Amino acid sequence: MKNLSTKKPRVTAPAVIEKVLSLEDLVEIAHVLQVERRNLIKMRNTILNMACAFARQSVGWNPTLETKASTALKKQAIKLANAILCDTEVAPESQAAAQVCIPVISPLRSSFLMLEQRITEHDKSMAKLAPQFPVWPWVNSVAGFGGTGLCIIVGEAGDLSKYDNPGK
């Protein structure tokens, strides 16, 4: 049996963000956060897609509709599913469909909202971690590029200093 005690302990993100860390640890934390964030987004999107699919059928969508009508019903279904999942007001044109959808979609609400909250927490942790990367001053100077984006890139690509040039 393999001795697990010799394995380097996993760095946990939120607990260590306050400390000054090595670049290796920063990259590892960004990777852990991004993998977890990606999985949370997949789970959230699965719930949203299931809710939208059910709502589409409830508002009368079917694949044989003309493009304009199909698009309008898809948009209506998305708004209905989001209203039920986020516990907001249902649009007047979706009230009848809501009666069918609410008993089916509303049990998914707590999971959906928990996933939304966890994604937001990961985004905040990433934004808090980003200023510790050596590339931060440049990232911070680029409009529209922030800490979360930097951590997503580092989390997916690894240590950016290992790339010799922009072409790699």
Side-chain angles (χ1 to χ4, degrees):
M1 181 177 248
K2 191 175 183 179
N3 182 358
L4 299 177
S5 63
T6 60
K7 187 176 177 185
K8 182 179 174 184
R10 177 180 156 188
V11 178
T12 55
V16 295
I17 290 174
E18 302 295 328
K19 300 177 184 177
V20 175
L21 302 167
S22 69
L23 184 57
E24 181 182 320
D25 285 343
L26 288 170
V27 170
E28 182 180 349
I29 294 169
H31 176 72
V32 168
L33 283 169
Q34 175 54 14
V35 168
E36 290 173 357
R37 181 181 180 275
R38 186 181 341 117
N39 289 330
L40 291 166
I41 290 170
K42 284 180 184 179
M43 289 185 280
R44 184 220 34 214
N45 289 349
T46 298
I47 292 171
L48 184 58
N49 288 339
M50 289 186 305
C52 287
F54 190 82
R56 267 194 311 273
Q57 299 303 313
S58 299
V59 298
W61 178 88
N62 72 63
T64 62
L65 291 171
E66 300 272 334
T67 304
K68 190 174 181 178
S70 176
T71 301
L73 286 175
K74 284 180 182 179
K75 286 180 181 178
Q76 182 182 349
I78 290 168
K79 287 179 184 175
L80 173 59
N82 275 308
I84 295 169
L85 287 171
C86 297
D87 200 18
T88 58
E89 190 174 333
V90 173
E93 67 272 11
S94 298
Q95 290 296 325
Q99 298 308 309
V100 175
C101 291
I102 288 172
V104 176
I105 297 174
S106 62
L108 303 171
R109 182 181 301 132
S110 62
S111 296
F112 180 81
L113 294 176
M114 181 274 303
L115 291 166
E116 284 283 295
Q117 180 183 2
R118 295 283 308 278
I119 292 165
T120 300
E121 289 169 2
H122 275 64
D123 289 349
K124 287 179 183 176
S125 293
M126 290 172 138
K128 198 171 186 179
L129 180 68
Q132 293 188 46
F133 283 98
V135 72
W136 176 250
W138 176 80
V139 168
N140 199 33
S141 72
V142 177
F145 190 14
T148 303
L150 173 62
C151 283
I152 289 169
I153 291 169
V154 171
E156 294 291 343
D159 183 356
L160 300 178
S161 66
K162 291 183 180 181
Y163 294 88
D164 291 338
N165 62 58
K168 283 193 171 184

